[in-house]
Amino acid sequence: TEGECADALRSAIADCCAIVPCGAGTCLDTGMRLRGRSFAVLRTSRLGDRIEVAEGDSLVTASAGVPFSALQEAVAAKRQRLDIDPPFADRATVGGVVAANAYGLLRCSAGPVADLIVAARIVTGAGEVVKTGAHVVKNAAGYSLSRLIAGSHGSLGIIAEVTFRTNPQPPAR
C-alpha cells in the first residue's frame, strides 16, 4: 500500500540507506551510481490494482502496480485507446513504464509518455504522499509537475498512481 511504501522510505532515510525502486524489473536503471554503503530494492509491482476508466472524460487512472497490458485491455473495453506501446507490456507495470519513460513506435505520432500524463500521486523520500496535476484533460495552471516523473526512475519519489489522457478508438483499423 501507499502507507507501507511511505513507512519503508522513512525507515530507509533513518538508516541512511539508498532506495532503488523496482516494478516488474523490465527496465532497471539506478540513474546515478549508488554512493551509499547500503541500499534496498523497493518492489512496487504489488502497489495497488485499481483501474478506473472515465471514457466520458477521456481519462484512465491506474495504480502503479497494475500490469500495463491489463491497463490497455481495460481501456480498450471502454472503446478508448492509450497511445503508449512500451516494450514488455505484458510484464511491465504502469509505474515502471512512467518511471522509465518506456515507449515504442507510437512515440513518433503520440509523443512521449509525459505528454499523456495529466495527474499523479507519488510517495516522496520523506514518506509523504503528494498529488500532482488534476483529473481534467486540459489544465493551464502553470508547469505540470506530473510530467516530471516520466523518466525520473524514482529519483523524485515512488509513483503510486497515474492518470493518463486517452483517445477514442477509431471506427476501423
Side-chain angles (χ1 to χ4, degrees):
T1 65
E2 285 179 12
E4 292 169 334
C5 182
D7 291 342
L9 288 172
R10 282 193 285 274
S11 175
I13 288 171
D15 295 340
C16 295
C17 178
I19 293 289
V20 179
C22 176
T26 57
C27 180
L28 293 177
D29 184 3
T30 60
M32 294 174 49
R33 184 173 175 216
L34 295 173
R35 295 187 183 128
R37 284 185 260 192
S38 62
F39 70 92
V41 176
L42 180 63
R43 296 292 303 211
T44 60
S45 57
R46 293 186 356 203
L47 191 58
D49 59 358
R50 179 175 159 248
I51 301 175
E52 183 180 318
V53 181
E55 65 268 19
D57 294 330
S58 297
L59 298 173
V60 61
T61 301
S63 300
V66 170
F68 201 81
S69 59
L71 175 64
Q72 291 283 36
E73 289 171 9
V75 168
K78 298 289 186 171
R79 304 211 22 88
Q80 296 285 309
R81 64 188 168 99
L82 181 57
D83 292 329
I84 303 173
D85 59 338
F88 310 111
D90 55 329
R91 295 189 339 243
T93 60
V94 170
V97 167
V98 173
N101 197 25
Y103 50 81
L105 294 176
L106 286 179
R107 184 180 196 278
C108 298
S109 63
V113 174
D115 287 354
L116 298 176
I117 298 173
V118 296
R121 212 165 59 225
I122 62 172
V123 182
T124 67
E128 299 171 348
V129 177
V130 176
K131 297 176 185 177
T132 66
H135 291 272
V136 294
V137 175
K138 192 169 185 179
N139 185 3
Y143 190 75
S144 173
L145 294 176
S146 302
R147 294 175 56 140
L148 287 176
I149 63 170
S152 68
H153 294 279
S155 62
L156 301 176
I158 306 297
I159 300 167
E161 185 179 86
V162 183
T163 301
F164 296 101
R165 182 180 61 245
T166 62
N167 293 310
Q169 280 185 349
R173 282 179 64 171

